Amino acid sequence: MDMNNIKVFLSEEEIKNKVAQLGKQISDDYRGEDKNLILIAILKGSVVFLSDLMRNIDIDLSIDFMVVSSYGSGTESSGNIKIVKDLDINIQNYDLLIVEDILDSGRTLSKLIDILKMRNPKSLKVCTLLDKPDRRVSHVDLDYCGFVIPDEFIVGYGLDFGEKYRNLPYIGIVEP
């Protein structure tokens, strides 16, 4: 793929503004002495979003990371997940906020939510920068969403193609 085939879809400024809005909303929703917020980033794609989001949250929080892989016989997620890197924190009685870069089919995230709920968190919510509902196969309740996007192949701001283009400061659509 050539950089010339990437058309800016969401600019750096649009993303920055939306992340600031999400950070304020999350701060307001989790403010209080009875809250104990942990942001759980699903690697690798969400690391850029997590970094910017947590700098826009003005309350105490912790972060942790998971790596999960969904496997199947084809190129699409089967929804069966394998935890490659698990959490380091015992999440029982914590307020979890899963931070995702993009929600498309929902298969993997739906299964991951089920697994995390069995660990007895105080609460569990989901924040995604991008929602691609046209690809949804499994239902996932979104509590915080940056942008609803069409079913296009996108890169940048953590999203990759063959581990490249994650470092783009914008989100681009890959044109044929």
Side-chain angles (χ1 to χ4, degrees), residues 128-139:
T128 188
L129 179 63
L130 304 170
D131 180 18
K132 198 185 281 190
D134 291 344
R135 297 196 33 100
R136 194 82 74 250
V137 174
S138 297
H139 178 76

Side-chain angles (χ1 to χ4, degrees), residues 7-11 14 130 147-150 154 170-173:
K7 176 184 160 197
V8 175
F9 177 68
L10 293 170
S11 71
E14 289 174 295
L130 304 170
F147 302 96
V148 176
I149 63 169
I154 56 173
Y170 59 87
I171 292 172
I173 292 178

Side-chain angles (χ1 to χ4, degrees), residues 21-172:
Q21 289 174 2
L22 290 169
K24 182 183 181 328
Q25 184 181 358
I26 291 165
S27 297
D28 292 346
D29 291 351
Y30 284 93
R31 197 172 314 283
E33 291 183 24
D34 65 329
K35 301 292 184 188
N36 202 357
L37 179 61
I38 300 176
L39 303 181
I40 306 294
I42 310 304
L43 298 177
K44 298 176 187 173
S46 66
V47 73
V48 176
F49 178 41
L50 172 77
S51 297
D52 288 344
L53 181 65
M54 69 184 194
R55 286 192 299 261
N56 281 281
I57 297 175
D58 67 0
I59 58 171
D60 289 336
L61 59 84
S62 300
I63 62 170
D64 206 344
F65 303 92
M66 291 187 83
V67 176
V68 297
S69 71
S70 57
Y71 49 93
S73 57
T75 58
E76 296 249 340
S77 165
S78 67
N80 297 317
I81 66 170
K82 175 182 174 189
I83 296 175
V84 178
K85 188 254 180 252
D86 207 343
L87 299 172
D88 295 325
I89 299 172
N90 177 349
I91 61 172
Q92 187 170 353
N93 297 317
Y94 279 87
D95 297 294
L96 298 187
L97 181 59
I98 297 173
V99 177
E100 268 284 30
D101 53 351
I102 187 167
L103 175 60
D104 49 33
S105 76
R107 286 183 179 125
T108 301
L109 187 55
S110 175
K111 296 288 186 184
L112 181 60
I113 289 168
D114 292 342
I115 290 167
L116 292 175
K117 282 183 176 177
M118 291 189 304
R119 298 178 185 184
N120 299 315
K122 185 173 164 187
S123 67
L124 191 154
K125 293 185 177 184
V126 177
C127 176
T128 188
L129 179 63
L130 304 170
D131 180 18
K132 198 185 281 190
D134 291 344
R135 297 196 33 100
R136 194 82 74 250
V137 174
S138 297
H139 178 76
V140 174
D141 289 322
L142 282 178
D143 301 283
Y144 306 96
C145 177
F147 302 96
V148 176
I149 63 169
D151 187 11
E152 298 281 352
F153 187 71
I154 56 173
V155 295
Y157 199 74
L159 297 152
D160 74 303
F161 176 74
E163 293 298 324
K164 294 183 181 354
Y165 310 105
R166 291 187 193 277
N167 60 320
L168 295 175
Y170 59 87
I171 292 172

